[in-house]
Amino acid sequence: MVLLLIVLMIQCRQKESPSDPDSGIYQPTPYILQVPQGFPQPYISSDNPLTNEGVDLGKRLYSDAILSSNGLSCSSCHYRSKSFSTPYYITPDGDKISIPPHVNLVFNPDYNWNGSVTKLETLPMGDFEPQFFNTNADTLFYRLSHHSLYPELFYKAFGITNFYTLSYEELKMTICKALTQYLRTLISADSKLDRYQLKGGTLTQQERDGMDVFFSERGDCFHCHGYPLFTDNLYHNNGVDDQFIGQNAGRNLITHAASDLGMFSTPTLRNIELTAPYMHDGRFNTLEEVVEFYNSGVKFSRTIDPIMTKPGKESGLQLTAYEKSSLVAFLKTLTDTSFISAK
Amino acid sequence: MRGLLIYLVTGLMFVSFSSCKRDHKDTPKPVVITPIKVDMSFNVNGIPLLFDTIQFQNLAGNSFSVTRLDCYISNIEITSVTGVVYKSTKLFYVSARDTSTHHFTVSDLPLAGITSFKCKIGLSASQNISNSLIPTPANLNMAWPDNMGGGYHFLKLEGHYLTSNLQVFGFAMHLGENKNLVENAISATLTETQVSGGIKLTMDVAKWFDVPNKFDLNKTNYTMGIDSLMILLSQNGNNVLSINN
């Protein structure tokens, strides 16, 4: 009986400290992702399930310059106030790229304008490169090993007891897994429009008029930017170009299919008010410019999306001035202030 | 002790056999429905459908390509060789580009030889309600705006064609709204063995443009929101399916 009591006491102590390096028990806690009403199933990698410990670690690393040699962190460029986006990036080749925001990535099957990344865990791997964090491997190992918190946090999240047992690639991938777990929790679904649709909120008359333009053949935005994701996660040539040189080749750069020339992944319009500039190369600085492009600036090519070729609208949507301003007003209702202000 | 054990075993055996006898007498065995499989394929005038290349022709003489063909197949109804009509309430999203959607199992239809096959392209009125389907990416992308009637697209057929002055232009044949639900009725005699291997359902894409209403893409390249054109398109849809076992 005494022996039984002793055994029970030991087991209880183990349950109170599930992930304790000293006890040798690594037991991360599953993170319960809240999927908003009407949203599809999230994409979560089987080799990187969400855990409380992984998400917490990823959140810390997102804002920690410990990963870089130049004082930068993810949040140095991905501003929460801009829906975790940054205005643009200039590549070593001189291309200007509008940076997609870190919002609702968990519902995307692939990433970047041309779908170059199909697994979210590999998306941050490029950030260790000289043009971003310029990470020094030796410094990274040393800093993490001697940090007051990270050894324990990495153990609790991934069971790592000694960073130096990992190769540099393995360490980077572990960091990316943590970052990815955090990225998957960045869900925006509480905009003014969501509250109007689901919770009895209100829109102004002009916002409702803009919504009618958006969700009708008048504006025809819904075909690619449908509710609730405001992206169909497909590739389209929306007529921004009729010459496809360099990065303007779009999806073709990945598939090498002529039919994919000029095609880009549909960006989400959630928080679009905050994520200027617009289009893959940031050519438009304001939502008004974007609307005017669709109104009168579409360029035709062999791969133009068929949706863009509606009779009578070969030169664009031909919206009135009020319809254009209403459409912009509606787009601003997709801003989720709780998402950009949450801690 | 040994005697007690013998009595226990004997008693258990008696109870078991009695229960079996009661089950056989009082509880009818459930009817096992072996569901039927459907395997869809797509062609254009008999030519296997390939995407993104202008290589097909319709009755109006338009040379065209297909970039997208998504639809719902629903409310399948079969007439067995014994004359019994079985109706399914299931619906299936089919995308010509996604071969994983070409094969589906109709779990509420029994395996049987058939003399006819009917189905709808689209959703019945009771199914065609906004947000009623599981929010998969496919279903979300088929949503039909509420201020245009709500529910879902029944069909998205899109592609490019050569205009009369040989420019490449696009077409988008979208179908939705309850009144445009497309019915297909196919006379097909298949044995149970043939059905067990899967009903080979084929869609001839060209027929969407051809019969009984000839679509000249130079004149009509877009249907959504235009009632008169969606009606014509839905009439053509009555003839697009066949069974090719």
Side-chain angles (χ1 to χ4, degrees):
Chain A
M1 178 63 77
V2 170
L3 190 61
L4 181 63
L5 279 172
I6 292 171
V7 169
L8 285 172
M9 285 170 62
I10 291 171
Q11 286 184 334
C12 286
R13 180 167 178 270
Q14 287 175 342
K15 286 178 183 174
E16 289 166 1
S17 307
S19 292
D20 183 344
D22 293 335
S23 70
I25 298 172
Y26 155 62
Q27 194 172 335
T29 314
Y31 180 96
I32 308 301
L33 190 70
Q34 300 295 328
V35 178
Q37 179 182 344
F39 278 61
Q41 280 287 100
Y43 292 93
I44 298 179
S45 304
S46 58
D47 63 348
N48 190 26
L50 297 186
T51 67
N52 291 346
E53 294 82 0
V55 170
D56 177 63
L57 175 59
K59 185 176 181 180
R60 290 173 185 269
L61 290 171
Y62 193 88
S63 301
D64 197 336
I66 197 173
L67 301 179
S68 73
S69 67
N70 52 20
L72 294 178
S73 65
C74 306
S75 59
S76 300
C77 298
H78 292 275
Y79 309 121
R80 176 183 285 277
S81 63
K82 294 190 179 297
S83 195
F84 296 96
S85 77
T86 198
Y88 58 85
Y89 163 70
I90 305 293
T91 71
D93 296 330
D95 290 326
K96 180 181 174 185
I97 298 177
S98 173
I99 304 299
H102 291 164
V103 59
N104 293 348
L105 294 181
V106 72
F107 302 110
N108 290 16
D110 46 40
Y111 313 94
N112 288 337
W113 288 101
N114 55 18
S116 58
V117 173
T118 56
K119 189 172 181 181
L120 189 57
E121 280 78 3
T122 58
L123 188 63
M125 283 292 274
D127 292 330
F128 296 97
E129 296 303 308
Q131 62 265 36
F132 295 110
F133 291 166
N134 194 32
T135 305
N136 179 282
D138 293 336
T139 306
L140 182 62
F141 274 100
Y142 181 84
R143 284 177 175 174
L144 290 175
S145 300
H146 290 82
H147 195 275
S148 60
L149 293 177
Y150 281 127
E152 181 181 0
L153 294 178
F154 272 84
Y155 174 79
K156 285 183 174 178
F158 299 108
I160 293 170
T161 55
N162 182 348
F163 290 107
Y164 288 98
T165 61
L166 305 175
S167 67
Y168 181 42
E169 288 301 307
E170 289 169 335
L171 177 60
K172 286 193 294 183
M173 179 47 69
T174 304
I175 291 169
C176 289
K177 283 186 172 182
L179 290 169
T180 302
Q181 289 195 33
Y182 172 59
L183 289 177
R184 291 194 166 112
T185 67
L186 298 179
I187 295 176
S188 175
D190 192 32
S191 67
K192 185 176 184 181
L193 177 69
D194 294 306
R195 292 193 296 276
Y196 172 77
Q197 297 272 57
L198 302 172
K199 302 175 185 176
T202 58
L203 299 181
T204 66
Q205 182 62 52
Q206 185 170 42
E207 290 166 347
R208 290 200 303 275
D209 290 340
M211 187 168 70
D212 286 343
V213 173
F214 189 98
F215 285 111
S216 72
E217 290 297 319
R218 195 80 188 100
D220 211 9
C221 315
F222 67 91
H223 270 126
C224 299
H225 297 282
Y227 189 85
L229 295 179
F230 288 94
T231 168
D232 59 1
N233 281 319
L234 298 175
Y235 298 91
H236 302 278
N237 175 350
N238 66 344
V240 288
D241 288 305
D242 53 11
Q243 302 292 321
F244 307 115
I245 300 168
Q247 66 156 342
N248 291 343
R251 183 70 174 153
N252 166 267
L253 293 174
I254 305 302
T255 66
H256 308 295
S259 55
D260 286 342
L261 280 168
M263 288 199 172
F264 294 91
S265 181
T266 307
T268 181
L269 298 185
R270 286 191 173 271
N271 301 317
I272 196 68
E273 178 185 11
L274 309 173
T275 59
Y278 306 109
M279 302 297 166
H280 64 282
D281 56 1
R283 65 181 65 188
F284 299 130
N285 293 312
T286 66
L287 291 175
E288 286 78 3
E289 288 178 28
V290 174
V291 170
E292 190 53 47
F293 154 73
Y294 282 110
N295 198 52
S296 61
V298 173
K299 297 176 184 173
F300 284 82
S301 63
R302 295 181 69 91
T303 59
I304 186 80
D305 196 284
I307 288 293
M308 308 296 293
T309 60
K310 189 180 300 183
K313 300 195 175 186
E314 292 83 352
S315 301
L317 298 174
Q318 309 303 310
L319 300 175
T320 66
Y322 178 74
E323 287 175 323
K324 287 189 284 185
S325 61
S326 299
L327 189 50
V328 172
F330 170 72
L331 290 174
K332 292 180 178 178
T333 70
L334 305 182
T335 301
D336 181 351
T337 54
S338 64
F339 177 74
I340 61 173
S341 60
K343 296 298 177 188
Chain B
M1 182 66 161
R2 185 178 169 198
L4 178 62
L5 192 62
I6 291 171
Y7 280 127
L8 276 173
V9 170
T10 307
L12 279 170
M13 288 171 65
F14 176 78
V15 168
S16 298
F17 285 130
S18 300
S19 298
C20 289
K21 192 178 176 190
R22 276 201 297 276
D23 286 344
H24 179 70
K25 184 180 174 184
D26 299 330
T27 309
K29 291 187 178 174
V31 174
V32 176
I33 296 179
T34 302
I36 64 172
K37 296 180 296 181
V38 177
D39 300 314
M40 277 201 76
S41 63
F42 300 86
N43 66 53
V44 187
N45 288 321
I47 303 168
L49 174 61
L50 295 175
F51 293 94
D52 303 324
T53 305
I54 295 179
Q55 60 177 314
F56 302 114
Q57 280 224 333
N58 63 12
L59 209 56
N62 305 132
S63 296
F64 69 94
S65 70
V66 176
T67 58
R68 182 177 196 164
L69 199 171
D70 302 332
C71 66
Y72 289 104
I73 302 293
S74 70
N75 295 279
I76 295 172
E77 180 182 310
I78 59 172
T79 303
S80 73
V81 292
T82 59
V84 179
V85 176
Y86 296 98
K87 297 182 180 182
S88 166
T89 60
K90 304 296 182 186
L91 62 94
F92 305 94
Y93 167 79
V94 179
S95 172
R97 273 195 189 269
D98 181 359
T99 55
S100 71
T101 67
H102 295 185
H103 312 284
F104 47 89
T105 300
V106 191
S107 58
D108 55 350
L109 289 181
L111 178 62
I114 65 170
T115 58
S116 81
F117 178 98
K118 294 181 181 178
C119 70
K120 316 259 193 247
I121 301 176
L123 307 176
S124 62
S126 61
Q127 298 165 329
N128 192 30
I129 299 170
S130 295
N131 306 310
S132 63
L133 301 184
I134 296 171
T136 62
N139 288 337
L140 290 175
N141 288 344
M142 292 292 272
W144 190 274
D146 285 339
N147 59 356
M148 295 180 68
Y152 296 87
H153 283 73
F154 295 168
L155 170 78
K156 287 187 179 183
L157 171 56
E158 299 173 5
H160 296 99
Y161 69 100
L162 285 178
T163 65
S164 49
N165 55 353
L166 300 181
Q167 300 294 311
V168 175
F169 211 62
F171 69 85
M173 302 298 185
H174 290 191
L175 205 55
E177 299 181 42
N178 293 334
K179 63 181 182 296
N180 299 314
L181 184 60
V182 178
E183 306 213 7
N184 270 254
I186 306 167
S187 294
T189 301
L190 299 177
T191 65
E192 183 173 317
T193 301
Q194 288 175 306
V195 173
S196 69
I199 296 177
K200 315 297 181 198
L201 188 64
T202 301
M203 179 181 287
D204 185 342
V205 181
K207 288 194 161 68
W208 282 108
F209 302 116
D210 293 348
V211 180
N213 306 299
K214 187 166 68 176
F215 277 76
D216 181 351
L217 296 176
N218 286 296
K219 298 173 184 172
T220 307
N221 69 328
Y222 200 96
T223 59
M224 186 167 177
I226 308 171
D227 275 351
S228 58
L229 292 180
M230 287 199 290
I231 289 171
L232 297 178
L233 187 66
S234 69
Q235 290 172 348
N236 286 4
N238 295 147
N239 306 296
V240 300
L241 294 176
S242 63
I243 288 178
N244 296 282
N245 277 61

